[in-house]
Amino acid sequence: MTMRIASHSVVTGLDDVPRPLTLELHDGWIVAVHEGITDDAELLDGSLVPGFVDSHCHGGAGADFTDPDPARVAAAIEHHRAHGTTSLFASTVTAAPEQAVEQVARLRGLVESGELAGIHLEGPFLAPERKGAHPEELLCDPRPELLHALLEAGAGTVRMVTLAPERQGGMSAVELLAAAGVVPAFGHSDADAATTRAAVDAGARVATHLFNAMRPIHHREPGPVPVLLDDERVVVELICDGVHLAPEVALMALAAAGANRVALVTDAMSATGCADGRYQLGELPVQVSRGTARIVEPDGRPGAIAGSTLTMDRAVRFLVAHGVALATASRMASTTPAAAHGLDTVGRLAPGCRADVCLLGDGARLLRVMRHGHWKQAATT
């Protein structure tokens, strides 16, 4: 079936100039983009932007993506779609090796069927000093046999692995992953600037939630952040929820790296879309209060931030509310992450791309979501 939709403000992802355009769609694909508003198009009130691409997300709607119940995993996927994420990675948290292999094997089918765009392994190859919400006793060095087992279980569906390159075998693991076509991501690391630079030279191409769970900047010992912001080969993830980063820090990162190298991610956990209360993130108990998730320490005190309850539409609204142009925020939410992970049919509104579209109103409020040419009801919050 062929249809045409149009708006006076269309952000294609090919440039940063919203303008009147008509999208011609057929069987879930964009087949043409026409200048102006054609007579036979459905004219929509609002801005059309590419569907969001979230490459770091652990779950939502009460379920983790590693949940063995397919219905609960489907509900988590659907929750994020209703918030504009039309392409979604399932991120895991640190687990015992045999459990991690089982999780990848389960998620593989969802990637092969098109429900997910890929699998992201966050752990277990992380630094204990920067473990965040990962159980320290399960962290380990990236042994080649474990890496191969995980990649074999995924059969090409594992797209990214976060690791601390200073661990024994870390640099070799970066090289192994890059050679296998998997994006090595620098993260949960206590590395200094020189080690960070060596990791990028070895093939690390993404910085997992920049600033969070890594050595902070010091004026005499800069650590990883300046290296990652400065190197043109690296895309840096930002969690723009107002909790993980102050607005000033997010804007500083954008000014330093530019929208072509900043990817918005949610790092959302199972509590996303749910009420405050007690939840589980992998092996660890989590308490969510006022939408902020923190590990519950053995003595009951709140510990490290444990992912987020963010959705991509809220991340875009956050940036726009702090003065970022809609087209720039859209690039960070769609075009940049798609390019970073080689997803060449999403992240742009152009012929040959999937008909994945978000309609945004005032203040970048999400109004409607189209995935593969079918409109879905957008979430109201």
Side-chain angles (χ1 to χ4, degrees), residues 145-212:
E145 62 270 22
L146 178 52
L147 278 169
H148 283 301
L150 290 164
L151 298 184
E152 287 174 10
T157 62
V158 175
R159 309 286 195 222
M160 179 167 66
V161 176
T162 295
L163 55 81
E166 70 272 22
R167 290 203 71 120
Q168 185 173 353
M171 292 298 177
S172 295
V174 170
E175 294 172 350
L176 185 157
L177 291 167
V182 179
V183 175
F186 176 101
H188 286 273
S189 170
D190 200 40
D192 60 13
T195 304
T196 305
R197 192 172 293 109
V200 176
D201 288 341
R205 291 295 178 264
V206 167
T208 295
H209 44 52
L210 188 74
F211 299 103
N212 298 116

Side-chain angles (χ1 to χ4, degrees), residues 200-294:
V200 176
D201 288 341
R205 291 295 178 264
V206 167
T208 295
H209 44 52
L210 188 74
F211 299 103
N212 298 116
M214 63 181 63
R215 185 183 293 202
I217 298 175
H218 185 277
H219 55 286
R220 286 189 296 272
E221 296 180 9
V225 172
V227 174
L228 297 168
L229 282 174
D230 183 62
D231 199 304
E232 294 290 334
R233 297 170 291 180
V234 179
V235 169
V236 299
E237 296 179 352
L238 294 184
I239 307 172
C240 289
D241 60 354
V243 175
H244 284 77
L245 300 174
E248 295 85 351
V249 173
L251 295 176
M252 178 191 72
L254 174 59
N260 286 333
R261 292 183 44 234
V262 177
L264 298 184
V265 297
T266 63
D267 197 13
M269 60 162 298
S270 61
T272 304
C274 302
D276 285 356
R278 186 66 65 94
Y279 295 87
Q280 198 77 13
L281 180 60
E283 302 288 324
L284 300 176
V286 174
Q287 178 67 38
V288 177
S289 300
R290 295 186 176 182
T292 298
R294 290 188 177 273

Side-chain angles (χ1 to χ4, degrees), residues 110-172:
L110 291 172
V111 180
E112 291 172 339
S113 68
E115 292 298 298
L116 293 171
I119 302 169
H120 162 222
L121 306 182
E122 190 177 20
F125 315 122
L126 313 178
E129 301 90 343
R130 305 291 174 185
K131 64 183 185 296
H134 294 259
E136 185 171 345
E137 66 275 11
L138 294 178
L139 300 180
C140 64
D141 294 326
R143 305 184 307 274
E145 62 270 22
L146 178 52
L147 278 169
H148 283 301
L150 290 164
L151 298 184
E152 287 174 10
T157 62
V158 175
R159 309 286 195 222
M160 179 167 66
V161 176
T162 295
L163 55 81
E166 70 272 22
R167 290 203 71 120
Q168 185 173 353
M171 292 298 177
S172 295

Side-chain angles (χ1 to χ4, degrees), residues 106 372 378:
R106 279 202 306 271
H372 295 188

Side-chain angles (χ1 to χ4, degrees), residues 45-47 52 313-314 316-317 320 326 358-368 378-381:
D45 186 14
S47 296
F52 305 140
D313 61 324
R314 283 173 46 212
V316 170
R317 289 207 312 270
V320 170
L326 175 61
C358 290
L359 177 65
L360 306 180
D362 293 342
R365 182 171 61 89
L366 184 65
L367 301 176
R368 296 177 75 182
T380 56
T381 58

Side-chain angles (χ1 to χ4, degrees), residues 57-60 62-70 72-74 76-77 89-95 99-108 110 116 119-122 268-270 280-283:
C57 180
H58 296 280
D64 190 277
F65 285 134
T66 58
D67 194 304
D69 184 348
R72 286 169 56 79
V73 173
I77 294 171
F89 280 23
S91 299
T92 66
V93 295
T94 295
Q99 186 180 3
V101 171
E102 291 173 3
Q103 291 170 351
V104 170
R106 279 202 306 271
L107 289 167
R108 166 184 166 182
L110 291 172
L116 293 171
I119 302 169
H120 162 222
L121 306 182
E122 190 177 20
M269 60 162 298
S270 61
Q280 198 77 13
L281 180 60
E283 302 288 324

